Amino acid sequence: MSLVHPALLFMCLPIFLIVFAAAGRLWGSRGALTVLTAASLLFGATQGIAFLVVIVASALVNYALLMVIVRSDRPASVRLALYTGIAANIGLLALAKYSVWLGWIPVIGTASLSLAALIPTTLSFLTFQRSVALLDGFSARGAVATDLQKPRAGEALSPANPPLRFFAFASMFPNLLIGPIAYLVEVVPQFARSSFGRIRPIDLSIGLTLLAIGLVKKFYFADIIGRDWVDPVFADVAAHGATGGLRAIEAMVAYYVQLYFDFSGYSDMALGVARMMGITLPINFDSPSRATGIVDFYRRWHITLTRVIARFLFSPLSIAGTRYAARKRWRGARAQAVSLWLPLIVNFIVIGLWHGPRLTYVLFGTIHGLWYILETEVRGTKWWKKRRKTIAEPIRMLGGMALTIPLLILTFALFRSATLADFGHLLGSLGNPAQPGVDLPSTWKFAQLGLAYAIVMFGPNAYEMLGRYRPGIRSYINVSITPRLFAFRWRPTLFWGLLVCAAIAAVIGKMSAVTPFAYQVF
């Protein structure tokens, strides 16, 4: 079961909110957290008993290690607990997700294949969320210890607070499967608020609006674009090694926007469901199709993964490389290579590998890493700094977008391809002649794709629309370039309420055949 399943949306979710509010009123935040944890475990059970066993066992191990980190007075024990927890989390993820590459290793390969067969649902997001919780405990021990224990206003101090708060955070069903990846220090302090455990009308309004936006993205854009434009072409290339040139271009252009609507739609829904119970999660997308470069893109696309990988990999590697270069008294390119370039390449290869054991993902990450390095170096030159002052901001931004978007479309076509050979066949098809009757979709389908691109290029995103009400936690402040004509601002009014209800009603008719999220395979 996923967030788009009708039974969850229209039966389980309302019942959960009623029980959550009743428990909060009767037993305070601990009652609400107990209901949230129980509901999250039931949600996990719908993915399979093996998945439930793994996430519970993982949560118990991570909680025990977190308690060592925040309570131990011995630095050696703290570091051992941190390294053990991260190694166990990453090891579990590797066994479950990379069996294709590990299957030849005696014992480990057998365990990996068995685990992969038992757990079809990805562990990627919850693994990273729990790992970063340990890192939060290590880097902010006092604050985390306080956040886990601090009672809500009017409640007595209780030893049940730390485990309840951690398990609710680690297994919270809105973002359990496909994120966004939240930090412990972002979410757990919210459990101590005086309003937590109460259903407030403003939270319901914001949550339902985000939920409606996500549903529309999923059913009216991502699913339709994938069905009509993307999947048939990539299947054709995989089966026959070629397709028509126009169809290849259409599929490449369409996939980029399909993936955006699919993944950002889930992220909107996750934030919406969490907000209904008064919890604010981090924003995962911020109009990435308007990025003016690869650096800008990764401040807007899958933001929570980008910041986690940077925290775990880039920052430590960059610091170590800088210190090494200083000891060797290196300057210039050699110093840059170990302090910036190599950490960036490793960072982006891991971002690619995080999606799965495919060479296309490795090449995708490598290309983006090299692109990031090139752009960073160009931005640091005197030539660029001088040119930036002489070119008007709108022209510079439009030029950046004109260069960035085609390259992103091309690299995401690589990302979508199952093998490097498929991607080569797709590129080779660009020179093929059109296939009469096949390469020309209907005017209505062209209009759908055109509308999709118009929305991502000119329309406000959900967080701009609801900006006055803090719909999510921002990791970066990106300047909005939404044209003033389309800069709609949401209000908790009758008009917006009717519009949200109409959107949800329109989606209900599309729910007869629920398709999984394209990003759920990661």
Side-chain angles (χ1 to χ4, degrees), residues 252-292:
M252 293 167 69
V253 170
Y255 178 66
Y256 177 63
V257 76
Q258 179 211 357
L259 187 61
Y260 167 74
F261 277 115
D262 179 271
F263 194 15
S264 71
Y266 187 96
S267 297
D268 293 342
M269 294 177 66
L271 266 73
V273 173
R275 186 57 180 264
M276 290 182 195
M277 61 184 96
I279 299 171
T280 304
L281 293 177
I283 294 170
N284 213 19
F285 289 88
D286 191 2
S287 298
S289 295
R290 304 177 198 177
T292 58

Side-chain angles (χ1 to χ4, degrees), residues 282-493:
I283 294 170
N284 213 19
F285 289 88
D286 191 2
S287 298
S289 295
R290 304 177 198 177
T292 58
I294 193 67
V295 175
D296 189 29
F297 177 76
Y298 276 100
R299 291 170 59 93
R300 298 173 178 270
W301 175 276
H302 206 342
I303 298 168
T304 59
L305 175 64
T306 302
R307 65 178 188 170
V308 167
I309 298 290
R311 186 176 179 186
F312 272 106
L313 271 180
F314 174 75
S315 295
L317 288 176
S318 181
I319 292 171
T322 301
R323 290 173 176 170
Y324 182 80
R327 287 198 303 271
K328 294 290 186 178
R329 297 183 179 180
W330 287 352
R331 297 290 185 270
R334 285 199 300 178
Q336 284 284 85
V338 297
S339 64
L340 181 61
W341 301 342
L342 181 60
L344 279 173
I345 286 292
V346 173
N347 183 87
F348 279 96
I349 288 176
V350 170
I351 285 178
L353 275 174
W354 180 85
H355 294 91
R358 284 186 184 176
L359 293 179
T360 51
Y361 297 150
V362 176
L363 184 56
F364 172 85
T366 303
I367 291 171
H368 278 210
L370 293 172
W371 184 3
Y372 203 102
I373 290 170
L374 177 62
E375 184 174 306
T376 302
E377 291 304 310
V378 170
R379 288 176 180 269
T381 62
K382 294 180 180 179
W383 174 86
W384 170 257
K385 293 175 181 178
K386 182 178 179 180
R387 295 284 294 177
R388 185 173 183 175
K389 294 178 181 179
T390 60
I391 301 175
E393 184 73 8
I395 296 176
R396 187 182 62 80
M397 293 179 67
L398 289 173
M401 292 168 63
L403 179 64
T404 301
I405 293 173
L407 291 174
L408 288 173
I409 289 172
L410 183 64
T411 54
F412 272 95
L414 167 65
F415 182 87
R416 175 61 174 79
S417 301
T419 65
L420 294 177
D422 285 350
F423 181 63
H425 293 150
L426 183 70
L427 294 182
S429 298
L430 296 178
N432 290 346
Q435 302 174 18
V438 176
D439 281 301
L440 296 175
S442 66
T443 303
W444 169 239
K445 289 183 179 179
F446 269 119
Q448 286 178 321
L449 189 58
L451 177 61
Y453 264 92
I455 289 173
V456 299
M457 296 304 298
F458 303 110
N461 62 49
Y463 312 106
E464 288 179 297
M465 290 174 59
L466 286 84
R468 298 190 180 197
Y469 299 89
R470 196 173 179 263
I473 300 169
R474 285 195 174 274
S475 302
Y476 307 109
I477 303 299
N478 297 310
V479 177
S480 172
I481 57 174
T482 301
R484 185 173 298 180
L485 178 64
F486 303 114
F488 310 118
R489 293 292 181 264
W490 180 89
R491 299 284 191 281
T493 62

Side-chain angles (χ1 to χ4, degrees), residues 497-513:
L498 292 174
L499 198 60
V500 168
C501 290
I504 294 176
V507 166
I508 291 175
K510 296 281 187 180
M511 287 186 168
S512 57

